[in-house]
Amino acid sequence: MPVNALYRDDFYLSTCEAVVTAIHDDGGIEFDQTCFYATSGGQPGDTGFVERADGSKIALGQTKHGQAKDIIIHVPLDGEVQPHVGEKLVLHVDWPRRYRLMRMHTACHLLSVVCPLPITGAAVGEEESRVDFDMAETIDKDEVTARMMELVNANHPVYLQWITDEELLANPDIVKSKNVRPPLGLGRVSLVCIGENSAVDSQPCGGTHVSETQEVGSIYISKIEKKGKENRRFRIRFGTPGDEA
Ligand SMILES: [Zn+2]
């Protein structure tokens, strides 16, 4: 059943009421609405718990899409009791974890501004994220860190602009970075815009982001690895250079 994905309109929504609409054979739960982000576009899905009317909790270890993008399945940890279809519950996202992922995900966008090259892969993590670029030249990681931190400290606004699938397909130039496959198929596409009037960047993305670049906090490039002749893997970590040592 298509879900009302509340996080799409409010990245800061950490809790919401919901009614169970389906239970899958593997225990996965569908709700009428959710604030849980499902694994997609390199960002891991949310974890957390649901609270039943009697106050007991069911821990959720994973959130994923079903066969269609508008299906979101919340997977309980092994051994948890099952709610029943029609039951009304309160969903709680593990917010500290999600907020780190939002900061990291936004940091990946900032890296793509500093290195405006085609992205060949990306994975957002709580401690470390990686972004792979189609890139042959060598670049100094401390210089990349300095330029990313300039964007963080400038405290640019980060916001969404919604356009229809048709608008995006008809106006491919609306997208500054063409290296990420747009999240088409839901009828509308969110462009993640950074800076007033998208002055810094705008690109289609279905993930969750912070609303001001300053929220990203201290980040640095810990490593740039050569992965083949024309591929460079950048690793982003929270903190300042030298923290790993
Ligand atoms: Zn994004």
Side-chain angles (χ1 to χ4, degrees):
M1 201 180 215
V3 68
N4 182 12
L6 301 172
Y7 64 80
R8 276 194 206 113
D9 294 304
D10 184 0
F11 297 150
Y12 290 82
L13 188 68
S14 64
T15 178
C16 73
E17 284 190 345
V19 174
V20 178
T21 56
I23 306 276
H24 292 247
D25 290 341
D26 66 355
I29 310 166
E30 286 185 50
F31 298 102
D32 61 337
Q33 58 180 17
T34 187
C35 50
F36 277 58
Y37 179 80
T39 301
S40 175
Q43 182 180 332
D46 285 330
T47 59
F49 65 91
V50 291
E51 191 180 346
R52 309 182 84 179
D54 65 4
S56 65
K57 294 170 184 176
I58 300 169
L60 303 175
Q62 198 196 339
T63 309
K64 59 185 186 182
H65 282 290
Q67 290 203 329
K69 265 281 199 182
D70 55 2
I71 303 290
I72 294 180
I73 301 168
H74 308 70
V75 186
L77 293 178
D78 286 344
E80 289 287 342
V81 295
Q82 269 188 3
H84 51 83
V85 173
E87 186 172 342
K88 195 174 183 180
L89 304 144
V90 182
L91 277 62
H92 297 270
V93 170
D94 178 343
W95 182 251
R97 174 179 179 272
R98 155 76 93 73
Y99 191 55
R100 286 177 77 85
L101 292 171
M102 279 167 54
R103 290 168 57 205
M104 265 300 192
H105 189 139
T106 309
C108 293
H109 282 259
L110 298 181
L111 174 58
S112 79
V113 171
V114 172
C115 297
L117 294 163
I119 292 171
T120 55
V124 179
E126 286 169 75
E127 303 296 332
E128 182 184 271
S129 297
R130 64 168 176 78
V131 183
D132 294 347
F133 290 95
D134 187 345
M135 176 179 183
E137 64 270 38
T138 309
I139 186 168
D140 179 50
K141 65 177 167 35
D142 293 335
E143 193 186 315
V144 177
T145 294
R147 290 181 58 197
M148 286 173 74
M149 283 311 297
E150 272 172 30
L151 293 169
V152 169
N153 292 328
N155 205 21
H156 294 292
V158 183
Y159 53 95
L160 292 187
Q161 195 187 332
W162 290 95
I163 58 170
T164 63
D165 286 10
E166 293 74 31
E167 279 176 302
L168 180 65
L169 294 168
N171 302 288
D173 293 341
I174 210 162
V175 183
K176 279 188 196 165
S177 316
K178 297 184 185 68
N179 43 34
V180 180
R181 200 161 60 91
L184 292 167
L186 292 164
R188 58 177 192 159
V189 176
S190 49
L191 293 182
V192 176
C193 307
I194 304 177
E196 299 293 344
N197 300 314
S198 314
V200 177
D201 191 38
S202 87
Q203 62 174 290
C205 181
T208 62
H209 314 85
V210 295
S211 60
E212 294 176 325
T213 57
Q214 214 166 62
E215 286 181 64
V216 170
S218 287
I219 42 157
Y220 68 102
I221 301 296
S222 63
K223 218 182 259 180
I224 301 175
E225 295 158 280
K226 194 172 172 178
K227 294 275 174 188
K229 208 167 126 193
E230 293 188 2
N231 200 32
R232 298 289 182 277
R233 172 166 294 176
F234 288 60
R235 293 186 184 275
I236 308 170
R237 294 186 71 87
F238 286 123
T240 47
D243 278 1
E244 271 175 305

